[in-house]
Amino acid sequence: MSAMRQLDDLSALPVQSEWLNTILKGDCVAALEKLPEKSVDVVFADPPYNLQLDGDLHRPDQSKVDAVDNDWDQFESFGAYDAFTRAWLLAVRRVLKPNGTIWVIGSYHNIFRVGATMQDLGFWILNDVVWRKTNPMPNFRGRRFQNAHETLIWASRDQKGKGYTFNYEALKASNDDIQMRSDWLFPICTGGERLKDGNGNKLHPTQKPEALLARIMMASTKPGDVVLDPFFGSGTTGAVAKRLGRNFVGVEREQAYIDAAQERIAMVTPLDDADLGTMTSKRAEPRVAFVSLIDTGMMKPGTILYDSRKRWAAKVRADGTLSIGDKAGSIHRIGAEVQGLDACNGWTFWHYERNGGLTQIDELRRIVRVGMECAGA
Ligand SMILES: C[S@@+](CC[C@H](N)C(=O)[O-])C[C@H]1O[C@@H](n2cnc3c(N)ncnc32)[C@H](O)[C@@H]1O
């Protein structure tokens, strides 16, 4: 991964090495025009929330709440915010690969408008994820519920967007072998992770926790992928991408945030490749037909296959089906029928005799897969 740079001169950037792991300075709609189309794998966008704050907010002790009142979060009307949303979503859609996905985070102030625009533009929503905050700010006026979460929308580029990355097995394994749910619990960014300016104040009002970005990248990217963040802020996306062996490209308007992000990312040490392996989903692995074991000579027609306790025995036929008595069918169908079930994974159900014991035929499938990968299949 190359050293981090800032790009001010935004002439066209057709060559990836010119913009990979850099921050483009300027308005994201204009800056993204310079990138080639279909050049990024995943987008993470944390756009202005359009918080519509009406005057200062005070705690019961009259101290002022450090709310997001920056110019970049101000829009004249909902219409102006919608036009802005449409423009940046179109810009990121052009540079997103057809099998890419996009994450957008927001609050009740903006996320419903953003979601509707995403659907209007052809993005296909895969999930909304609730980030539940373990340490949310209280509701000081006591007139509403405490606002304790933010919402993320995860969408593919198109309705028919196939082959997007979702590391289902790895997420499940990391979650005590239980499917990862769409409600995530993380603290807001505090303590040593929170960047401070020279006066000890928050450097950026909406710095996101690294754990949130890490979950997103571990779920939807592979090592080496390119993650685009069009609202880079303090560079959380860049810092996490570098640590996790992913590439990034960020866009940010404010020089102070760019400087802080550059310094932050420079301090990050990437994890070793060996620690970055992602457990692959079986569905992502190349498909192997049972008959290819016969085609490759790994299994001879006439071989007898057994279940693990040798309750059933079926014969392999030359056409890649199994027969048992007067029944014939696929390894899955025959496995299901002998057990009286609707479905069965024949690869793990059937075994062959080897060295005096039984070995799952899935072992042979693994060997075929390795051969396919070596051949670049
Ligand atoms: C909600 S903050 C993102 C914070 C970031 N995720 C982090 O963890 O630090 C939005 C950022 O977008 C920037 N911004 C606002 N409008 C922009 C635009 N049109 N183009 C580029 N950046 C913009 C703001 O300066 C601000 O830093």
Side-chain angles (χ1 to χ4, degrees), residues 4-272:
M4 245 268 303
R5 289 173 295 132
Q6 168 186 333
L7 288 181
D8 298 294
D9 171 18
L10 297 182
S11 33
L13 297 164
V15 181
Q16 197 191 51
S17 59
E18 290 174 339
W19 52 267
L20 205 60
N21 302 312
T22 63
I23 308 173
L24 315 180
K25 182 174 180 189
D27 169 66
C28 61
V29 176
L32 290 176
E33 274 170 24
K34 311 301 173 195
L35 296 190
E37 63 174 329
K38 301 178 187 154
S39 54
V40 307
D41 297 285
V42 165
V43 175
F44 171 76
D46 181 11
Y49 284 19
N50 190 22
L51 288 182
Q52 312 130 40
L53 292 177
D54 189 12
D56 287 345
L57 187 59
H58 292 92
R59 298 187 179 85
D61 66 2
Q62 294 310 311
S63 58
K64 189 172 161 232
V65 175
D66 188 9
V68 184
D69 53 3
N70 308 65
D71 288 349
W72 52 257
D73 201 53
Q74 314 292 326
F75 292 82
E76 258 173 34
S77 60
F78 284 138
Y81 187 77
D82 291 346
F84 161 77
T85 301
R86 193 181 161 79
W88 73 257
L89 280 169
L90 278 170
V92 299
R93 194 155 189 267
R94 190 187 68 84
V95 299
L96 186 58
K97 291 180 184 171
N99 64 347
T101 59
I102 176 172
W103 294 84
V104 186
I105 186 167
S107 62
Y108 65 86
H109 307 86
N110 69 332
I111 199 69
F112 302 106
R113 310 190 79 82
V114 172
T117 307
M118 289 174 78
Q119 290 181 320
D120 288 349
L121 295 180
F123 289 102
W124 192 253
I125 297 182
L126 299 168
N127 277 114
D128 65 331
V129 170
V130 170
W131 163 30
R132 193 152 78 78
K133 301 175 181 180
T134 53
N135 49 351
M137 213 173 26
N139 181 277
F140 293 111
R141 291 188 180 133
R143 305 281 297 271
R144 302 182 185 186
F145 296 105
Q146 180 182 29
N147 188 18
H149 74 277
E150 293 190 28
T151 303
L152 294 119
I153 293 176
W154 182 41
S156 56
R157 190 185 177 284
D158 304 288
Q159 179 176 359
K160 298 205 165 32
K162 289 229 166 58
Y164 59 83
T165 298
F166 179 50
N167 299 318
Y168 171 83
E169 297 290 346
L171 289 164
K172 185 172 169 188
S174 72
N175 193 38
D176 291 345
D177 283 330
I178 298 167
Q179 278 195 341
M180 186 64 78
R181 293 162 44 124
S182 60
D183 46 352
W184 301 351
L185 195 64
F186 293 113
I188 59 172
C189 184
T190 51
E193 193 183 314
R194 187 94 211 194
L195 303 184
K196 298 277 166 57
D197 65 14
N199 302 319
N201 297 321
K202 287 180 198 165
L203 193 136
H204 195 290
T206 66
Q207 182 182 335
K208 293 295 171 295
E210 293 196 3
L212 181 71
L213 269 295
R215 172 74 59 82
I216 287 171
M217 286 187 212
M218 293 316 287
S220 61
T221 67
K222 299 189 283 295
D225 275 0
V226 181
V227 184
L228 162 68
D229 184 338
F231 303 101
F232 204 57
S234 65
T236 312
T237 301
V240 175
K242 184 174 172 189
R243 182 158 58 82
L244 297 181
R246 275 66 173 167
N247 294 291
F248 68 89
V249 55
V251 190
E252 175 55 55
R253 288 196 320 199
E254 310 276 333
Q255 187 64 48
Y257 298 155
I258 294 179
D259 293 343
Q262 276 185 308
E263 204 177 310
R264 176 181 185 184
I265 295 166
M267 307 273 286
V268 173
T269 308
L271 290 171
D272 286 343

Side-chain angles (χ1 to χ4, degrees), residues 293-309:
L293 302 189
I294 297 168
D295 298 342
T296 53
M298 295 172 90
M299 177 145 302
K300 301 236 170 323
T303 304
I304 304 294
L305 301 184
Y306 305 92
D307 66 291
S308 60
R309 285 161 48 200

